[in-house]
């Protein structure tokens, strides 16, 4: 444990340790009965620049020095199962990134008004971040050199993933209770920033956990019957992901929701290049497609055009082929889109990454022009809880506070109706590695949604 024994002036933050871990194949994570962390440690970590994560980082990485902006040797982990050396290099790479990210979130929470941070729900999230930061600092301070240390580190990552699983609903509940003391724009900005930080932190942790579970050093010692990942997987990345297969899976799920709610289900056709494969994260693609299909299915049914099929087009382009700024401008809903993405941060794409484009075209009547600029806001949804049968092509939109919706939810799952955060959260996932979601609405006819994702080239 890292203690500032020779610096008595350093203020310490202490609280009981939360001990829990139920992930298969990992031992329960436990530390001392109490944890402490100094203000100097938090300030030092928060002052360091956050490494802009790319998909390439998850299969290969730059060894980071302890000096901001300085990179040393280049390594590649390779295809699982990993050797001991590769697994340790993955662990040390992961341990160099996550504490810096956690410290930045602690600082962001502290920058909120004091009366907001004092709210029990937001305070709970703050304490969770402090706990995770303290448990990971020893691995940040000292290099992981053996399998025992790597196993303890992976246990800590499993604790991190589990304890942060419901931070978004808890935060929303806290902001809802403090809505008199904080501006809506501040809440929106905080949630956007927090969502992207959460995507990156969770992805880094889950990637190493997946590599750990499929690695050679643990293959003979594991007592659990863990499912063997497909050979195309490197951690959580499927290097031969077939978007058409993910679409079919999402269609089945959304169709069942739609039929349960409305009694009918529209059909779906896939054209373009359905055999396309690329390297990306299946869970991210599945979440985004599910949200976009729910919007298309609902609009189609409520407009009375359930006999009109929803058309899906899949296309792949080389890494150097980018849409022109003019094309993007015609599809973008905000003039300050680039400034917004720069402000909220996130991951990045590599120069050689491939671009997957999926167009979802429906005949659901389009979106009313007066509501079109607001669909990306966390406080906007077209669903009325009082009258869920209101049609989206009649202009009968309602403003339902998304904080109420998120606060009542224990997860990111949702029903067929709009929840006020499906679209912005989907956009966060799409944009994280250089992609995006752009929308064209023809009021009175239908909507075209363009999902663009970057995939690793060369697999």
């Amino acid at each position: 444990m890292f203690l500032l024994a020779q610096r008595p002036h350093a203020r310490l933050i202490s609280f009981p340790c939360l001990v829990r871990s139920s992930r298969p194949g990992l031992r329960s994570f436990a530390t001392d009965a109490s944890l402490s962390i100094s203000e100097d440690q938090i300030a030092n970590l928060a002052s360091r620049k956050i490494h802009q994560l790319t998909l390439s980082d998850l299969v290969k990485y730059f060894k980071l020095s302890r000096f901001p902006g300085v990179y040393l040797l280049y390594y590649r982990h390779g295809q699982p199962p990993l050797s001991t050396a590769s697994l340790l290099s993955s662990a040390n790479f992961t341990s160099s990134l996550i504490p810096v990210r956690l410290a930045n979130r602690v600082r962001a929470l502290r920058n909120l008004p004091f009366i907001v941070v004092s709210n029990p729900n937001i305070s709970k999230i703050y304490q969770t971040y402090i706990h995770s930061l303290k448990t990971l600092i020893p691995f940040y301070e000292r290099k992981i050199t053996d399998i025992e240390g790597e196993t303890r580190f992976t246990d800590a990552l499993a604790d991190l993933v589990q304890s942060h699983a419901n931070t978004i609903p808890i935060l929303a509940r806290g902001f809802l209770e403090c809505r008199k003391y904080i501006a809506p724009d501040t809440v929106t900005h905080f949630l956007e920033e927090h969502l992207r930080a959460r995507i990156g932190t969770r992805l880094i942790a889950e990637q190493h956990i997946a590599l750990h579970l499929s690695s050679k050093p643990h293959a003979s010692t594991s007592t659990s019957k863990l499912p063997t990942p497909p050979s195309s997987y490197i951690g959580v990345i499927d290097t031969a992901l077939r978007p058409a297969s993910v679409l079919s899976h999402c269609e089945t799920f959304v169709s069942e929701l739609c039929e349960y709610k409305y009694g009918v289900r529209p059909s779906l056709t896939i054209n373009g290049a359905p055999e396309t494969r690329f390297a990306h994260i299946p869970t991210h693609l599945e979440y985004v497609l599910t949200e976009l299909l729910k919007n298309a299915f609902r609009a189609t049914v409520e407009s009375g055009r359930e006999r009109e099929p929803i058309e899906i087009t899949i296309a792949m382009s080389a890494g150097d082929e980018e849409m022109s700024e003019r094309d993007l401008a015609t599809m973008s809903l905000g003039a300050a889109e680039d400034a917004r993405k720069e402000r909220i941060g996130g991951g990045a794409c590599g120069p050689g990454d491939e671009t997957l484009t999926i167009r979802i075209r429906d005949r659901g009547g389009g979106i009313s022009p007066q509501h079109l600029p607001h669909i990306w806001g966390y406080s906007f949804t077209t669903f009325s809880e009082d009258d869920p049968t209101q049609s989206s092509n009649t202009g009968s939109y309602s403003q339902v506070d998304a904080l109420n919706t998120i606060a009542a939810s224990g997860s990111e799952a949702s029903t067929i109706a709009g929840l006020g955060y499906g679209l912005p959260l989907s956009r966060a996932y799409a944009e994280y590695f250089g992609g995006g979601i752009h929308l064209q609405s023809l009021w009175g006819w239908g909507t075209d949604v363009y999902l663009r994702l970057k995939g690793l080239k060369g697999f």
Side-chain angles (χ1 to χ4, degrees):
M1 180 179 293
F2 182 84
L3 297 175
L4 296 181
Q6 297 180 355
R7 302 186 64 179
H9 62 279
R11 179 186 172 191
L12 297 178
I13 306 170
S14 302
F15 55 93
C17 175
L18 305 176
V19 181
R20 54 172 179 246
S21 179
S22 60
R23 190 177 182 93
L26 297 178
R27 299 190 299 270
S28 296
F29 175 69
T31 59
D32 297 333
S34 63
L35 298 174
S36 61
I37 185 170
S38 72
E39 297 280 3
D40 289 348
Q41 286 176 285
I42 295 177
N44 180 54
L45 287 169
S47 66
R48 297 182 181 274
K49 185 178 180 180
I50 294 179
H51 177 68
Q52 197 170 34
L53 189 69
T54 68
L55 285 172
S56 297
D57 286 330
L58 300 178
V59 293
K60 57 188 179 181
Y61 79 102
F62 293 99
K63 183 180 178 183
L64 303 180
S65 75
R66 294 307 182 191
F67 301 97
V70 178
Y71 302 92
L72 301 180
L73 300 178
Y74 174 89
Y75 290 84
R76 181 185 177 94
H77 300 320
Q79 190 87 14
L82 301 186
S83 65
T84 299
S86 295
L87 187 63
L88 292 178
S89 71
S90 172
N92 283 297
F93 171 63
T94 303
S95 68
S96 70
L97 299 184
I98 292 184
V100 175
R101 290 170 171 266
L102 295 177
N104 273 272
R105 297 319 303 157
V106 169
R107 182 172 62 180
L109 285 163
R110 288 180 172 181
N111 287 338
L112 293 171
F114 178 77
I115 194 171
V116 175
V117 183
S118 300
N119 176 272
N121 290 299
I122 295 180
S123 177
K124 179 180 180 180
I125 298 301
Y126 176 80
Q127 295 292 347
T128 300
Y129 271 88
I130 290 289
H131 165 75
S132 298
L133 183 57
K134 182 54 189 177
T135 59
L136 291 174
I137 276 184
F139 303 101
Y140 178 87
E141 298 290 343
R142 293 189 294 270
K143 185 177 180 180
I144 301 171
T145 58
D146 53 39
I147 289 300
E148 289 74 17
E150 186 276 331
T151 300
R152 291 194 300 271
F153 174 65
T154 306
D155 291 340
L157 291 181
D159 178 79
L160 168 77
V161 170
Q162 183 175 349
S163 61
H164 290 251
N166 292 323
T167 57
I168 300 301
I170 295 174
L171 273 176
R173 194 175 301 117
F175 282 129
L176 188 63
E177 295 170 355
C178 298
R179 61 195 316 167
K180 293 181 180 179
Y181 312 110
I182 188 168
D185 289 345
T186 302
V187 174
T188 297
H189 173 66
F190 185 92
L191 285 177
E192 280 190 328
E193 199 175 56
H194 186 85
L195 283 171
R196 279 160 174 76
R198 181 178 180 271
I199 290 172
T201 302
R202 190 179 185 91
L203 185 57
I204 294 168
E206 290 182 337
Q207 176 69 359
H208 181 75
I209 291 173
L211 293 174
H212 168 95
L213 294 176
S214 62
S215 64
K216 290 179 181 178
H218 302 287
S220 60
T221 59
S222 177
T223 58
S224 62
K225 296 182 179 179
L226 298 171
T228 303
S231 59
S232 61
Y233 274 73
I234 299 180
V236 297
I237 297 177
D238 186 354
T239 60
L241 179 62
R242 188 168 173 260
S245 298
V246 180
L247 270 166
S248 297
H249 176 73
C250 296
E251 177 194 5
T252 300
F253 173 71
V254 176
S255 293
E256 291 175 354
L257 277 179
C258 190
E259 187 167 15
Y260 175 78
K261 183 174 181 63
Y262 297 105
V264 296
R265 59 169 74 187
S267 61
L268 186 147
T269 62
I270 300 177
N271 56 41
E275 298 303 318
T276 293
R277 295 178 184 271
F278 82 134
H280 203 75
I281 304 164
T283 54
H284 287 193
L285 179 61
E286 182 177 350
Y287 177 82
V288 175
L289 288 177
T290 298
E291 290 299 322
L292 297 181
L293 287 180
K294 282 192 296 186
N295 290 336
F297 272 59
R298 174 189 164 225
T300 300
V301 171
E302 292 188 352
S303 65
R305 298 187 178 98
E306 60 272 8
R307 295 183 180 273
E308 296 281 348
I310 295 170
E311 181 183 346
I312 309 293
T313 304
I314 300 175
M316 178 70 79
S317 62
D320 294 333
E321 298 177 12
E322 293 289 343
M323 300 180 68
S324 68
E325 290 298 325
R326 182 176 181 180
D327 290 339
L328 287 174
T330 60
M331 297 166 62
S332 177
L333 295 178
E337 198 70 3
D338 290 339
R340 180 189 64 82
K341 292 164 78 171
E342 178 70 21
R343 184 183 71 249
I344 57 182
C349 57
D353 289 350
E354 299 174 311
T355 301
L356 172 76
T357 302
I358 300 178
R359 182 186 67 186
I360 301 176
R361 169 172 288 177
D362 69 66
R363 285 285 311 279
I367 302 173
S368 173
Q370 63 264 35
H371 296 295
L372 190 59
H374 306 294
I375 63 172
W376 302 110
Y378 286 92
S379 62
F380 184 84
T381 176
T382 62
F383 175 66
S384 171
E385 291 177 327
D386 296 328
D387 185 9
T389 62
Q390 285 184 338
S391 175
S392 62
N393 69 327
T394 62
S396 300
Y397 284 76
S398 63
Q399 287 288 118
V400 179
D401 194 337
L403 291 181
N404 283 292
T405 306
I406 306 174
S409 171
S411 68
E412 293 172 0
S414 59
T415 62
I416 188 70
L419 293 182
Y421 71 108
L423 269 179
L425 184 55
S426 296
R427 185 172 66 169
Y429 277 106
E431 289 180 347
Y432 196 83
F433 290 115
I437 298 178
H438 304 283
L439 186 147
Q440 287 181 315
S441 172
L442 186 58
W443 177 232
W445 182 264
T447 303
D448 284 2
V449 179
Y450 295 84
L451 168 64
R452 295 172 59 249
L453 294 176
K454 295 287 187 176
L456 284 173
K457 190 175 182 179
F459 287 95

